Amino acid sequence: MTQEVTNDATISNQPPNPRINNWKTFYRKIRKNRGAMVGGILIVVFIIVALIGPYVTPYGPYEQDYSVRLDNPSADHWFGADHHGRDIFSRIIHGMGITLYIGFLSTFISAIIGTFLGIISGYYGKSTDAIIMRIMDVLLAFPGILLALAIVSVLGPSTQNVIIAVAIFSIPVFARIVRGSTLSVKKLEYIDAQKALGASDFRIIFMHIFPNITSPLIVQLTLSVATAILTASGLSFIGLGAQPPSPEWGAMLSDGRNYIFDAGHVAFFPGLMIVIVVLAFNIFGDGLRDALDPKMKS
């Protein structure tokens, strides 16, 4: 009888789960935010283009034709040609896959490590919390781009090293967000009830705490992709990221800066694509924040 009462109390004290349990309600909230809808649609389009675009581009990303060197946009070359006579439109389409690959992979790595550190820090507290958070504070003491710059300078310029650098400087953001959410959930009565029933720490963390802290995590994932893309492009622009002749947008922007007055299209279109992609992820992340906010009125 006592066991049944305890179980009933556990269920009744459990807070509403902020996960996306009702996709129709979630979509309705997202649909109300026009910016989020536009951002989400653009992201889907970018992913599709990154997957199938390289197979349908009119020219190869490294195909040179010096007879059209620095030509302006035309019917044959929609975005014009660069200083090597390469079609800028084709290179941007090929570079979209590289850009999204860097953004998604670096964010995924940082999210896994940061979530693990944050949830362990928040759940166990005391010396564990102090050690992990002081390390995170050290990383946060450096501006993100400066820390990434230092890491790539040590490891050497390459796409893989950019991913590592961006992932490392993004870890503290996820760790602090997850730690704060874990501290809030850990104090709730149903967690104490699970401990009284003899549930292991592993079960409590991954079955009861983690599912209830996914909302801020999802939002931060979306926003971090934008930050990762912008940082990676910045590193490539100064020669520490993807190396020529890679069609990565930051590297293309770097190549075009020498011709910005004579052939501005060489730098304009890669720069424009960086702005559009980063803006799409940012406004979609803001829409997710509104849709997943448990305090938001339906």
Side-chain angles (χ1 to χ4, degrees):
M1 184 64 180
T2 304
Q3 182 71 19
E4 294 179 358
V5 173
T6 304
N7 289 336
D8 291 340
T10 302
I11 295 174
S12 62
N13 289 329
Q14 187 164 348
N17 195 328
R19 288 179 297 176
I20 308 171
N21 293 318
N22 190 328
W23 286 101
K24 291 183 179 179
T25 303
F26 171 72
Y27 175 73
R28 185 165 59 250
K29 291 180 179 180
I30 284 290
R31 190 174 57 185
K32 292 179 181 178
N33 190 316
R34 294 183 179 179
M37 285 296 295
V38 173
I41 293 172
L42 284 176
I43 291 172
V44 172
V45 171
F46 293 150
I47 294 174
I48 294 175
V49 171
L51 293 175
I52 67 175
Y55 300 100
V56 296
T57 51
Y59 303 94
Y62 308 109
E63 184 178 339
Q64 300 180 7
D65 182 2
Y66 281 92
S67 64
V68 297
R69 180 177 180 271
L70 297 178
D71 273 8
N72 291 320
S74 63
D76 293 329
H77 301 277
W78 293 355
F79 290 175
D82 66 6
H83 54 294
H84 288 299
R86 297 171 297 195
D87 183 63
I88 295 177
F89 175 77
S90 298
R91 285 177 60 79
I92 284 179
I93 297 300
H94 282 265
M96 188 171 293
I98 300 174
T99 299
L100 294 181
Y101 169 75
I102 294 173
F104 283 127
L105 183 57
S106 60
T107 301
F108 180 72
I109 294 173
S110 61
I112 291 179
I113 299 175
T115 299
F116 175 77
L117 294 175
I119 205 167
I120 293 298
S121 176
Y123 183 77
Y124 289 105
K126 298 181 181 179
S127 59
T128 302
D129 180 35
I131 293 173
I132 293 177
M133 284 300 103
R134 295 301 76 76
I135 295 175
M136 297 300 104
D137 289 341
V138 171
L139 294 178
L140 285 172
F142 299 93
I145 185 66
L146 182 60
L147 180 59
L149 180 63
I151 295 172
V152 174
S153 298
V154 172
L155 299 178
S158 71
T159 301
Q160 290 74 19
N161 291 339
V162 167
I163 293 174
I164 294 173
V166 174
I168 290 176
F169 92 72
S170 299
I171 289 174
V173 178
F174 286 99
R176 291 177 69 89
I177 290 175
V178 172
R179 174 183 176 271
S181 300
T182 301
L183 289 173
S184 299
V185 175
K186 187 179 71 170
K187 297 177 181 178
L188 299 177
E189 294 179 3
Y190 85 99
I191 297 296
D192 293 332
Q194 290 296 327
K195 292 179 179 179
L197 291 172
S200 64
D201 290 344
F202 182 87
R203 179 178 178 82
I204 292 174
I205 289 174
F206 292 100
M207 297 298 293
H208 299 285
I209 293 181
F210 179 73
N212 285 287
I213 63 174
T214 52
S215 293
L217 191 58
I218 291 173
V219 174
Q220 186 57 44
L221 275 167
T222 307
L223 298 175
S224 291
V225 172
T227 303
I229 291 173
L230 196 59
T231 304
S233 298
L235 291 174
S236 296
F237 180 79
I238 60 177
L240 293 177
Q243 299 297 298
S246 171
E248 198 274 333
W249 294 344
M252 291 177 63
L253 189 62
S254 178
D255 288 341
R257 63 181 171 177
N258 296 323
Y259 307 94
I260 196 167
F261 295 109
D262 299 325
H265 63 276
V266 179
F268 173 77
F269 288 108
L272 178 64
M273 289 306 303
I274 293 172
V275 171
I276 293 175
V277 170
V278 171
L279 183 62
F281 277 100
N282 277 328
I283 61 178
F284 183 64
D286 289 338
L288 281 178
R289 180 186 289 115
D290 294 338
L292 296 176
D293 186 358
K295 298 179 182 179
M296 180 180 176
K297 294 181 180 180
S298 59

